[in-house]
């Protein structure tokens, strides 16, 4: 099942994609696609609804972030060995953990702002894991039972602020609009193997990233278990699992970074496609 949120920014309503690819309004069933409504029980309740009986949503409606009221936006860095190599960094022995601020979250097709003065804004297609069942000290064996589903994330990154300005990576990762998520939250039962999904990203029609989640260093159960030892994971939290090679800073002989007026298009097998236009922040 593909859950989504649609409508004006800040006023999104819950929706679901029917078998014909149409959006149906879920407002009579749940109040939002958020931590309070993505447990296994809630998802099962939605599955029992005859989708054709729900109001049809105009296809021109904006698609918003696929999860609302996100508590934590947790990211795993250097989680593909070949990406670590292109970044000139060693393969980590434990997950590299950083955060994106929730104020970075936007819809999958919303504009991405190039920060004022930035010359090193970069792209990263990533598999997002959405927590549906809260917990801590979660075992690897039980970890997947805490997953509501999956989504596409563009982990937009300002490399100067991330790597050259001192301190943690968080500064370069959390600018406004740096966290497009969606278009859908695809429930975990629809994805047979999240560790074998093709993912790709192109800028202005040139494909830069073309990978597969089968090369993840730390898999999803390992990541969830590890994080749950550091913090409680709560329903509605999002984990971004890392990016394959092909980011702008790794391009040889010279890095390629984003400029205003460009188009990013990215997708993950079974999870849909995003497309963003870059513009200069005001």
């Amino acid at each position: 099942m593909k859950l989504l949120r649609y409508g004006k920014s800040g006023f999104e309503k819950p929706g679901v994609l029917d078998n014909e690819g149409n959006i149906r309004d879920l407002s009579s069933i749940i109040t939002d696609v958020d931590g309070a409504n993505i447990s296994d029980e809630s998802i099962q309740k939605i599955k029992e609804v005859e989708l054709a009986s729900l109001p049809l949503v105009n296809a021109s409606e904006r698609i918003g972030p696929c999860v609302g009221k996100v508590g934590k936006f947790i990211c795993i860095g250097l989680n593909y060995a070949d990406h670590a190599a292109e970044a000139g960094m060693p393969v980590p022995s434990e997950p590299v953990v950083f955060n994106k601020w929730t104020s970075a979250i936007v819809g999958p097709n919303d504009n991405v702002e190039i920060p004022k003065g930035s010359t090193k804004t970069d792209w990263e297609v990533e598999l997002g894991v959405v927590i549906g069942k809260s917990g801590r000290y979660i075992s690897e064996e039980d970890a997947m039972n805490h997953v509501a589903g999956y989504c596409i994330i563009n982990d937009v990154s300002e490399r100067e602020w991330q790597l050259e300005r001192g301190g943690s990576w968080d500064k370069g990762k959390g600018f406004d609009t740096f966290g497009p998520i969606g278009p859908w939250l695809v429930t975990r039962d629809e994805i047979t193997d999240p560790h074998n999904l093709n993912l790709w990203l192109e800028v202005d029609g040139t494909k830069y990233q073309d990978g597969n989640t089968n090369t993840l260093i730390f898999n999803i159960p390992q990541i969830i278990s590890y994080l749950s030892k550091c913090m409680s994971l709560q329903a509605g939290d999002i984990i971004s699992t890392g990016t394959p090679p092909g980011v702008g800073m790794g391009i040889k002989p010279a890095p390629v970074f984003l400029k205003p007026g460009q188009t990013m298009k990215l997708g993950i097998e079974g999870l849909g496609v995003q497309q963003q236009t870059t513009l200069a922040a005001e």
Side-chain angles (χ1 to χ4, degrees):
M1 187 165 55
K2 297 176 175 68
L3 301 175
L4 55 94
R5 301 168 72 245
Y6 71 92
K8 184 179 177 181
S9 179
F11 299 91
E12 290 92 349
K13 296 180 180 179
V16 61
L17 213 63
D18 68 19
N19 295 331
E20 285 71 47
N22 301 309
I23 300 173
R24 299 283 178 170
D25 180 72
L26 272 178
S27 299
S28 63
I29 311 299
I30 57 175
T31 55
D32 200 355
V33 181
D34 60 7
N37 292 287
I38 54 174
S39 66
D40 286 352
E41 294 75 17
S42 294
I43 290 172
Q44 182 58 39
K45 178 182 176 182
I46 298 169
K47 286 180 180 178
E48 293 171 359
V49 175
E50 177 56 53
L51 297 185
S53 69
L54 298 174
L56 193 62
V57 175
N58 192 304
S60 66
E61 287 277 4
R62 166 185 174 267
I63 303 299
C66 61
V67 183
K69 306 181 187 72
V70 175
K72 294 191 289 296
F73 196 166
I74 311 160
C75 303
I76 307 299
L78 305 176
N79 201 23
Y80 290 73
D82 34 13
H83 171 54
E86 74 172 350
M89 298 179 183
V91 173
S93 58
E94 295 191 29
V96 175
V97 180
F98 62 92
N99 295 289
K100 291 180 87 76
W101 317 126
T102 55
S103 53
I105 294 174
V106 291
N109 305 311
D110 290 344
N111 294 329
V112 166
E113 297 181 356
I114 307 294
K116 290 184 178 182
S118 171
T119 58
K120 296 183 178 180
T121 298
D122 205 347
W123 57 81
E124 294 189 7
V125 59
E126 306 203 5
L127 172 66
V129 177
V130 180
I131 297 298
K133 177 184 176 184
S134 302
R136 61 178 186 153
Y137 301 109
I138 300 166
S139 68
E140 291 184 24
E141 293 73 21
D142 189 43
M144 298 303 282
N145 292 323
H146 289 259
V147 174
Y150 308 95
C151 65
I152 304 169
I153 294 172
N154 189 353
D155 176 18
V156 185
S157 308
E158 211 295 333
R159 301 302 188 187
E160 180 185 353
W161 280 92
Q162 178 190 356
L163 301 171
E164 302 171 29
R165 302 291 291 264
S168 70
W169 288 8
D170 298 353
K171 290 187 294 184
K173 296 286 191 170
F175 285 90
D176 289 357
T177 74
F178 271 26
I181 63 171
W184 315 310
L185 167 59
V186 181
T187 54
R188 73 172 188 267
D189 60 297
E190 276 207 16
I191 304 299
T192 304
D193 183 4
H195 301 105
N196 188 25
L197 300 176
N198 295 318
L199 64 172
W200 55 272
L201 181 145
E202 62 184 37
V203 180
D204 292 340
T206 298
K207 184 173 285 187
Y208 286 99
Q209 293 189 274
D210 191 7
N212 189 288
T213 58
N214 61 20
T215 59
L216 283 168
I217 297 169
F218 302 104
N219 65 28
I220 294 167
Q222 290 170 325
I223 291 168
I224 290 173
S225 181
Y226 184 89
L227 291 174
S228 74
K229 296 173 184 176
C230 309
M231 67 193 84
S232 60
L233 292 176
Q234 294 151 342
D237 287 349
I238 299 173
I239 303 169
S240 201
T241 58
T243 198
V247 300
M249 73 172 180
I251 295 172
K252 303 295 189 292
V256 175
F257 294 113
L258 293 164
K259 297 175 290 186
Q262 294 189 290
T263 300
M264 290 182 284
K265 191 173 184 179
L266 54 150
I268 300 179
E269 184 179 354
L271 302 184
V273 174
Q274 297 185 355
Q275 181 168 303
Q276 299 105 29
T277 298
T278 58
L279 49 78
E282 297 180 356

